[in-house]
Amino acid sequence: MSKTRTQVGIVGAGPAGLVLSHLLHLQGIDSLVLENRSRQYCEERIRAGVLEWGTVELLIQMGVGDRLQREGLVHHGIEIRFAGRGHRIDFKDLTGRAITVYGQHEVIKDLIRARLDSGGQIVFDVDQVSVHDLDTVAPRICYSKEGKSHEIVCDFIAGCDGFHGVCRPSIPPGALTVYERNYPFGWLGILAEAAPSSEELIYAHHDRGFALHSMRSPLITRLYLQCSPEEDVANWPDERIWKELQTRLAGDPGWRLNEGQILQKGITGMRSFVVEPMQFGRMFLAGDAAHIVPPTGAKGLNLAVADVRVLAHSLKDFYTTGRADLLDQYSATCLRRVWRVQRFSWWMTSMLHRHEGNPFDERRQLAELDYVTTSRAASQSLAENYVGLPMD
Ligand code: APR
Ligand code: PHB
């Protein structure tokens, strides 16, 4: 078995693990990233694509913002459609801020390149990752690659391995409290070779269910339809998808959704999930390993980045002063933002999706949409959460 040492052993090369590794590098702290998928898989995996202004600023400060600034689409608002009419939420006017539409896999490509260019170590295609001695000062990560066993001895471990990773389940039962809510719907997402039909994102409430118009580039549209979480994608031939999108997204007269070849299709369930605390001994959980938000507010990546920003700062403080105060506060500091973002994502989800059930709730939902699109106070609340609450 080969043995190595690093200051921070990072499990997972998603946005959390890669941003953490690069931030640590910029602060002179050594890390090693282990990823069980291939580099190509990580770089091509289609996920969400909305970056809060604070995420964009951080990526630029870290030196990984060049392509993002060239190719990212800066949006100063979104549209909310209901009862067949569109209403714009003007972020610039309401908050002075904007968001940037840039696919998560593009962020991943930029981060991997930056890590490798600066001598960073990312080991892809690893198997059988396990974490040990978490409540000692020398936690260990074991893994195998191409049939050979390896061990890394660390000062700290960062569990950045997403919702289905190994880090969170390695914490002894009873040390964590889980808060969870499942939603009775999922999203059918497609990527289509079609020019976006509007410059901005459209969130549509419709009697047949929620629909979302987003994009990846001037030539590629990203679209979603509310469906059952158990829905089989085989029940959705392309024709049915376009028909349903045309119906649910129908808006002002003259507006029509551009169609094109469907390049990718998939269904995801929706849940809200948080574990507390986001730490056990010398292992810290960050991003989807610690919490999941439903995608309606486009917050998953942004929240992952916010966590590791706190973690990198706390680790820097530890290595500079020898004091663990900030590390001890890591979980509480992150959870404050996590819960505010959970609240927003739950609220957007509840306001926009069709729920079977009480006609009272349907009327209340329409009243909420009416209020949010006509009251400056209500639309400002949506806008300040959507562009991203300040980092503090
Ligand atoms: N060993 C090593 N790597 C693992 C393991 C494991 N046992 N299990 C999972 N991984 C890897 C996954 O392959 C993935 O690349 O950990 C990475 C976790 O990345 P993400 O799932 O992207 O999670 P995170 O970095 O927290 O980013 C959150 O990504 O999941 C989306 O929508 C979510 O936008 C949000 C963001
Ligand atoms: C996306 O472009 O994939 C996207 C946009 C907004 C969301 C979710 C996903 O709320």
Side-chain angles (χ1 to χ4, degrees), residues 47-50 187 201 203 212 214 216 222 224 295-298 386:
R47 291 244 174 100
V50 173
W187 277 14
L201 272 64
Y203 287 82
L212 170 60
S214 178
R216 285 293 175 274
R222 178 83 170 143
Y224 297 94
T296 326
Y386 200 98

Side-chain angles (χ1 to χ4, degrees), residues 170-186:
S170 306
I171 296 176
L176 297 180
T177 306
V178 174
Y179 300 88
E180 194 171 16
R181 169 189 278 261
N182 284 302
Y183 299 87
F185 30 77

Side-chain angles (χ1 to χ4, degrees), residues 245-286:
L245 284 165
Q246 293 289 4
T247 308
R248 296 192 197 178
L249 284 165
D252 298 332
W255 186 88
R256 205 179 147 75
L257 179 68
N258 298 331
E259 298 186 9
Q261 195 195 337
I262 297 184
L263 307 170
Q264 208 236 22
K265 264 185 222 184
I267 291 180
T268 38
M270 294 173 83
R271 60 151 63 87
S272 300
F273 175 96
V274 181
V275 286
E276 294 191 12
M278 292 167 53
Q279 175 195 4
F280 178 76
R282 282 203 164 201
M283 181 167 81
F284 296 89
L285 301 176

Side-chain angles (χ1 to χ4, degrees), residues 21 27 30 50 93 105 115 140 144 165 189 210 248 320 368 390:
S21 178
Q27 298 172 346
D30 181 47
V50 173
D93 171 44
H105 65 290
R115 284 313 299 121
R140 294 176 298 121
S144 69
F210 169 73
R248 296 192 197 178
T320 323
E368 177 121 44

